[in-house]
């Protein structure tokens, strides 16, 4: 039975799992942050606003080497984490549809078990 995690708990588990796969050389992953972020002032500057990814952008991007017969290629995979009660926003649906149309994969992840099926570590 799938354990019901909050989105914060799921994020921690996914972070660890993706790092483990990276350490094994199975994929490259990175966290994508949406929204704007303020970098506070330091001694030599007043601070600045940094723009993150657009609204709806997935939480993670994973690059994975795959082989299709004789052709080896890089598959781009986007992961959007969702807690059990969290709804998918219209912007997230638009992003998912767009990247799928461009040839990437996109998954809404509500459990670590789902991620383990999509990106198994035994595939090495």
């Amino acid at each position: 039975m799938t354990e019901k995690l909050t989105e914060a708990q799921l994020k921690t588990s996914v972070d660890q799992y993706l790092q483990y796969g990276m350490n094994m050389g199975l994929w490259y992953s990175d966290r994508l942050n949406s929204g704007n972020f303020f970098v506070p002032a330091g001694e030599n500057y007043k601070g600045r606003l940094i723009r993150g990814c657009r609204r709806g952008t997935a939480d993670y991007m994973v690059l994975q080497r795959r082989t299709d017969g004789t052709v080896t290629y890089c598959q781009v995979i986007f992961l959007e984490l969702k807690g059990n009660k969290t709804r998918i926003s219209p912007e997230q649906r638009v992003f998912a549809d767009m990247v799928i149309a461009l040839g990437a994969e996109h998954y809404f992840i509500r459990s670590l078990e789902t991620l383990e099926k999509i990106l198994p570590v035994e595939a090495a």
Side-chain angles (χ1 to χ4, degrees), residues 1-5 10 13-14 17-18 27 62 66 77-84 105-122:
M1 182 174 182
T2 300
E3 182 181 349
K4 298 193 183 240
L5 302 174
L10 180 60
S13 297
V14 168
Y17 186 83
L18 291 176
W27 55 70
V62 178
R66 295 203 180 153
I77 304 159
F78 291 97
L79 307 172
E80 177 65 41
L81 306 187
K82 288 288 163 195
N84 291 315
E105 294 178 13
H106 187 287
Y107 300 95
F108 292 100
I109 305 294
R110 292 190 184 270
S111 71
L112 188 59
E113 290 82 7
T114 300
L115 179 59
E116 290 170 337
K117 290 176 186 172
I118 295 164
L119 295 170
V121 295
E122 303 85 36

Side-chain angles (χ1 to χ4, degrees), residues 31-37 50-58:
R31 176 88 164 93
L32 304 174
N33 292 303
S34 298
N36 297 320
F37 308 93
I50 297 177
R51 181 176 182 257
C53 297
R54 293 177 180 88
R55 284 186 67 155
T57 300

Side-chain angles (χ1 to χ4, degrees), residues 65-77:
R65 182 176 39 248
R66 295 203 180 153
T67 302
D68 182 13
T70 59
V71 178
T72 299
Y73 62 98
C74 178
Q75 181 64 50
V76 179
I77 304 159

Side-chain angles (χ1 to χ4, degrees), residues 20-104:
Y20 179 70
M22 274 184 55
N23 293 349
M24 292 179 65
L26 299 175
W27 55 70
Y28 170 83
S29 66
D30 214 344
R31 176 88 164 93
L32 304 174
N33 292 303
S34 298
N36 297 320
F37 308 93
F38 183 75
V39 178
E43 289 183 32
N44 298 324
Y45 68 97
K46 296 180 184 178
R48 62 185 171 148
L49 188 65
I50 297 177
R51 181 176 182 257
C53 297
R54 293 177 180 88
R55 284 186 67 155
T57 300
D59 294 319
Y60 294 89
M61 177 187 65
V62 178
L63 304 177
Q64 186 179 45
R65 182 176 39 248
R66 295 203 180 153
T67 302
D68 182 13
T70 59
V71 178
T72 299
Y73 62 98
C74 178
Q75 181 64 50
V76 179
I77 304 159
F78 291 97
L79 307 172
E80 177 65 41
L81 306 187
K82 288 288 163 195
N84 291 315
K85 297 179 182 180
T86 310
R87 293 186 178 174
I88 299 166
S89 74
E91 294 90 353
Q92 290 167 335
R93 286 263 183 227
V94 168
F95 178 83
D97 292 344
M98 178 183 63
V99 298
I100 290 168
L102 291 169

